[in-house]
Amino acid sequence: SSPVAICITRLRDGMLFEFNEAFEKFFGYSKDEIAGITSGELGIWADSADRDHLLDVLAGGCTMRDTEVLFRKRNGEIVTARYSAELIEIEGEQSILSVFVDVTERRRAEEALRESEAKLKTVLQGSSIPHFFIDRDHTVVYWNRAIEKYSGIKAGDVIGTREHWKAFYTNERPCLADLLLEEDRESIRKWYKEKYKKSKLIADAYEATDFFPDLGKDGMWLYFTAALIRDSNNVVIGALETLEDITERIQAEESLRSSEERYRNIFNNVPVAIWEYDFSE
């Protein structure tokens, strides 16, 4: 009745003489096909070297526990199983009790996750937008090349630390991502005053604009956002902060304001009557 595949083979000749329904289903053989043949003849070992290793382990008086081994099903499909085996004695015969736990789907899911993470990392690393990610403990997990360029701090020098603040400030203080993780809205107001606001596009996110005198040659104006990142169970696992250099835009706006102010001063102080007419009205 066990849902786990189990079989017993004689040690001296490898004959399969006990197996459960889960074993039949796992390997795709019927009871009649299995009865009276050896495990070698059945061809369930994807690599005969694994079978030889098992025999060596058992000959040394040891057991095999939860070892990942590749097996071959009846249809030729190669699957990964957590394999356990030990010597037992049945009717005076030394026999091998084998247990197989299919972990193929889990391995495929893990591989798919690794591939997905690798693709995401490639995309993030290639992004021209500076960003970093900190976990629940405020430890830097990710630091892309763009923020390396902006801050002059290499990823290898900051990942695994809580020193992301050094990219922006001369003295230690929390970044927007830190405050968001602490869910401390009062501290956000304290540190950023009128410079921040809640994001209209992303839940659990704030955005702000500020001048950073220690960035670049003459300082930088940055527009930055911080958002909480949650897992599939909606549990917060960290925060992502993204930065955008808006120095040129701010400087252009300042130049425009200065130009308008100069024009207004000239207009108001000319000693002759002047008026401005809008032909569109």
Side-chain angles (χ1 to χ4, degrees):
S1 298
S2 173
V4 176
I6 301 172
C7 74
I8 301 174
T9 57
R10 281 203 304 256
L11 180 62
R12 61 181 171 85
D13 59 8
M15 184 68 69
L16 272 159
F17 65 90
E18 288 289 349
F19 47 86
N20 65 351
E21 288 185 12
F23 181 88
E24 297 173 37
K25 291 177 181 178
F26 179 68
F27 287 102
Y29 289 95
S30 67
K31 188 173 183 178
D32 292 337
E33 290 173 312
I34 299 172
I37 65 173
T38 67
S39 60
E41 292 171 333
L42 198 61
I44 62 174
W45 294 88
D47 188 342
S48 59
D50 288 330
R51 182 182 60 188
D52 295 339
H53 174 63
L54 165 66
L55 295 176
D56 289 340
V57 169
L58 296 177
C62 299
T63 59
M64 186 173 282
R65 287 282 180 266
D66 291 333
T67 303
E68 290 198 1
V69 180
L70 295 178
F71 291 95
R72 182 182 293 105
K73 291 189 174 185
R74 187 180 188 279
N75 62 5
E77 179 187 0
I78 303 299
V79 294
T80 305
R82 254 192 1 254
Y83 178 66
S84 299
E86 63 180 309
L87 279 179
I88 61 173
E89 189 171 309
I90 296 181
E91 299 177 356
E93 287 270 9
Q94 277 198 311
S95 303
I96 304 171
L97 172 64
S98 298
V99 178
F100 310 79
V101 178
D102 188 3
V103 294
T104 305
E105 290 304 318
R106 191 186 75 191
R107 283 287 167 264
R108 287 173 179 167
E110 290 173 351
E111 183 61 30
L113 179 60
R114 280 193 294 269
E115 290 180 2
S116 176
E117 288 175 343
K119 290 176 182 177
L120 178 60
K121 186 174 181 179
T122 299
V123 170
L124 293 176
Q125 275 291 9
S127 172
S128 61
I129 300 173
H131 47 252
F132 65 90
F133 177 79
I134 57 175
D135 63 17
R136 283 290 310 172
D137 295 324
H138 302 263
T139 299
V140 179
V141 175
Y142 188 77
W143 191 266
N144 80 335
R145 282 193 289 266
I147 199 170
E148 284 184 333
K149 181 179 178 182
Y150 272 56
S151 66
I153 300 175
K154 296 295 183 182
D157 296 329
V158 70
I159 289 177
T161 75
R162 298 183 180 184
E163 298 179 348
H164 44 290
W165 58 270
K166 289 184 177 180
F168 316 103
Y169 310 106
T170 55
N171 298 312
E172 184 173 359
R173 55 154 286 181
C175 295
L176 186 57
D178 295 297
L179 300 172
L180 204 57
L181 276 176
E182 296 300 324
E183 300 183 0
D184 189 349
R185 304 299 181 261
E186 287 302 316
S187 290
I188 295 177
R189 186 177 296 109
K190 169 190 170 184
W191 286 105
Y192 292 99
K193 299 181 174 60
E194 75 284 349
K195 302 172 184 176
Y196 83 99
K197 62 182 178 180
K198 198 172 188 313
S199 174
K200 295 179 180 179
L201 302 176
I202 306 171
D204 296 330
Y206 282 80
E207 55 190 51
T209 301
D210 203 357
F211 181 70
F212 295 82
D214 300 310
L215 281 178
K217 184 179 178 181
D218 300 309
M220 285 185 184
W221 281 94
L222 294 181
Y223 166 75
F224 49 102
T225 63
L228 292 179
I229 305 300
R230 301 176 183 272
D231 63 15
S232 57
N233 296 316
N234 204 36
V235 176
V236 173
I237 59 173
L240 178 71
E241 187 157 335
T242 301
L243 317 164
E244 180 185 356
D245 181 6
I246 58 171
T247 305
E248 290 185 1
R249 192 186 78 192
I250 294 294
Q251 290 173 343
E253 291 172 352
E254 287 291 337
S255 295
L256 180 60
R257 279 194 291 271
S258 296
S259 177
E260 289 176 344
E261 186 176 350
R262 285 195 300 271
Y263 168 76
R264 183 60 56 191
N265 288 334
I266 293 172
F267 188 88
N268 289 334
N269 289 289
V270 171
V272 295
I274 298 176
W275 72 90
E276 185 175 358
Y277 185 78
D278 187 351
F279 284 98
S280 63
E281 296 184 357

